Amino acid sequence: MGLRKKSTRNPPVLSQEFILQNHADIVSCVGMFFLLGLVFEGTAEASIVFLTLQHSVAVPAAEEPATGSKSLYYYGVKDLATVFFYMLVAIIIHATIQEYVLDKINKRMQFTKAKQNKFNESGQFSVFYFFSCIWGTFILISENCLSDPTLIWRAHPHRMMTFQMKFFYISQLAYWFHALPELYFQKTRKQDIPRQLVYIGLHLFHITGAYLLYLNHLGLLLLVLHYFVELLSHMCGLFYFSDEKYQKGISLWAIVFILGRLMTLIVSVLTVGFHLAGSQNQNPDAITGNVNVLAAKIAVLSSSCTIQAYVTWNLITLRLQRWIEDSNIQASCMKKKRSRSSKKRTENGVGMETSNRVDCLPKRKEKSS
């Protein structure tokens, strides 16, 4: 698939510039190897591990009388292969959105280099958050989590996941893992790399934790809340880049941001209180998902509280920095206006004095002829 960016230069093959310009094509070729593996009988079994979800168990019809037999899933080592393949898919989709949507908007709007980087970042995240919010909400509705909120903290007998739940988590992990090589492909500035690594690492840590501890419904609900707030943030950024008169939208997002963090804390505390505090089993078993011990309660709750405090502190510091910058700009503008007005006054004063002095000079008497 032709995803390479148009360029008048032809860099040497396998050079850094060649890889950056054609990384989507290279990744597409790697993905095609896994698809071609399905054609041959000897490699089909290995290719299926990368393309489809693994570790499935068929539930007997006696346990599911209404729907008959049903396949449920648990996690395992083979999930790493599936995450790797869909990470390649995420890189291809990222390059497609960048070239066919964002680059065309950048050429039309003629942004500066700094605004262009922020616009690309907000555009990519907006697409991902919008799609994830719709997909996550659909899963919550289909599994009756909104009509029966007790499913969020109620213990599940199978300690397993449905197909759509596992595929959602695999896709989330693949997306955030793909963000790591994108730092290289997008030529991210060195001063921005630590911030991006922390942002990506926090998402990977919490998504992986919810996946491995079978806190699927809780993690999904918190992700939807978090993604919705982040979607508003990046949408406000996109509108602000297009026209700076939308500055008020950023202030509105700050209010929604605080409300979203409070809702996340409330859901986390309720889940820990009702689900994890249901019994005191001191023999945890990560394979069966039995994490109902005091250490797990403290870890889950402290992790949720820590991340909310961290992102809230970042918001406060960011708003303070912008407020200081705006106040400094306003102060400098006021000083310039005052200096200009005082200069005009002094010039007018000197002009008045000169005219008065000229008027006050004694007139020379005309000589009589």
Side-chain angles (χ1 to χ4, degrees):
M1 53 185 68
L3 297 177
R4 60 172 62 91
K5 295 182 179 180
K6 297 179 181 179
S7 176
T8 57
R9 296 184 302 169
N10 291 322
V13 179
L14 298 181
S15 63
Q16 181 179 3
E17 191 66 24
F18 177 85
I19 294 174
L20 293 177
Q21 288 186 8
N22 303 277
H23 70 274
D25 292 327
I26 297 172
V27 172
S28 299
C29 293
V30 175
M32 287 298 296
F33 280 111
F34 296 106
L35 294 176
L36 290 174
L38 297 174
V39 179
F40 305 100
E41 184 177 357
T43 59
E45 186 176 353
S47 296
I48 289 176
V49 175
F50 288 88
L51 300 177
T52 61
L53 300 184
Q54 303 299 311
H55 306 290
S56 63
V57 175
V59 177
E63 296 183 20
E64 298 286 343
T67 58
S69 61
K70 184 178 181 180
S71 295
L72 296 179
Y73 295 83
Y74 59 95
Y75 63 82
V77 180
K78 293 181 180 180
D79 292 341
L80 296 176
T82 311
V83 170
F84 175 76
F85 176 78
Y86 286 101
M87 182 187 72
L88 301 180
V89 175
I91 293 175
I92 298 172
I93 295 175
H94 186 113
T96 305
I97 296 173
Q98 182 64 45
E99 181 173 357
Y100 293 103
V101 179
L102 298 179
D103 286 347
K104 292 183 178 181
I105 297 176
N106 285 326
K107 291 180 181 179
R108 185 175 181 181
M109 300 300 294
Q110 296 181 352
F111 291 130
T112 60
K113 186 64 177 178
K115 276 191 174 182
Q116 185 176 353
N117 294 332
K118 293 181 180 178
F119 178 82
N120 291 336
E121 180 182 345
S122 296
Q124 293 286 351
F125 279 131
S126 296
V127 174
F128 170 71
Y129 290 143
F130 178 75
F131 178 74
S132 297
C133 283
I134 294 178
W135 189 9
T137 304
F138 174 78
I139 295 175
L140 290 174
I141 294 174
S142 62
E143 298 199 0
N144 300 321
C145 292
L146 298 181
S147 59
D148 186 12
T150 59
L151 289 174
I152 298 175
W153 58 76
R154 192 166 59 194
H156 299 279
H158 301 296
R159 297 291 180 187
M160 293 183 182
M161 297 169 280
T162 60
F163 174 85
Q164 59 182 356
M165 182 70 76
K166 179 167 183 174
F167 189 50
F168 178 84
Y169 275 95
I170 291 292
S171 302
Q172 295 297 311
L173 292 173
Y175 179 86
W176 289 110
F177 274 116
H178 113 281
L180 295 174
E182 285 295 339
L183 297 177
Y184 171 73
F185 295 145
Q186 300 299 324
K187 296 182 180 180
T188 306
R189 297 182 301 176
K190 291 183 179 180
Q191 57 269 28
D192 293 336
I193 290 179
R195 176 180 63 86
Q196 294 286 353
L197 289 177
V198 171
Y199 190 73
I200 296 169
L202 288 174
H203 283 86
L204 285 174
F205 174 76
H206 287 86
I207 294 173
T208 305
Y211 182 66
L212 297 180
L213 297 177
Y214 290 102
L215 300 174
N216 311 122
H217 294 91
L218 172 63
L220 178 59
L221 179 59
L222 295 181
L223 276 178
V224 171
L225 291 174
H226 171 69
Y227 285 168
F228 179 73
V229 175
E230 292 294 316
L231 174 63
L232 292 180
S233 168
H234 290 287
M235 289 298 294
C236 291
L238 291 175
F239 283 114
Y240 177 72
F241 293 142
S242 62
D243 194 341
E244 294 185 356
K245 70 179 181 179
Y246 293 106
Q247 177 69 30
K248 294 182 179 179
I250 298 179
S251 301
L252 177 62
W253 163 77
I255 299 175
V256 178
F257 180 89
I258 298 298
L259 294 177
R261 300 307 158 196
L262 290 176
M263 183 65 68
T264 301
L265 287 175
I266 292 173
V267 173
S268 300
V269 172
L270 287 177
T271 304
V272 171
F274 286 104
H275 172 49
L276 296 180
S279 62
Q280 293 291 335
N281 190 344
Q282 300 300 327
N283 296 317
D285 186 1
I287 298 177
T288 60
N290 184 12
V291 295
N292 196 13
V293 292
L294 182 61
K297 301 175 196 176
I298 297 175
V300 172
L301 190 57
S302 61
S303 176
S304 178
C305 294
T306 302
I307 185 60
Q308 302 311 315
Y310 173 77
V311 295
T312 306
W313 175 254
N314 283 344
L315 173 67
I316 294 173
T317 54
L318 178 62
R319 299 297 295 177
L320 286 176
Q321 289 176 358
R322 288 184 179 179
W323 179 74
I324 293 172
E325 290 176 358
D326 293 339
S327 61
N328 291 335
I329 293 173
Q330 291 178 359
S332 62
C333 292
M334 291 297 294
K335 286 182 180 179
K336 289 181 180 179
K337 289 181 180 179
R338 289 176 183 176
S339 61
R340 289 176 183 175
S341 60
S342 61
K343 188 175 181 181
K344 287 182 179 179
R345 288 177 184 174
T346 54
E347 289 178 355
N348 293 333
V350 171
M352 289 291 292
E353 275 185 38
T354 310
S355 62
N356 290 335
R357 287 176 183 174
V358 171
D359 292 338
C360 293
L361 287 176
K363 294 182 180 181
R364 297 167 60 183
K365 295 182 179 180
E366 296 181 359
K367 293 182 180 180
S368 59
S369 55

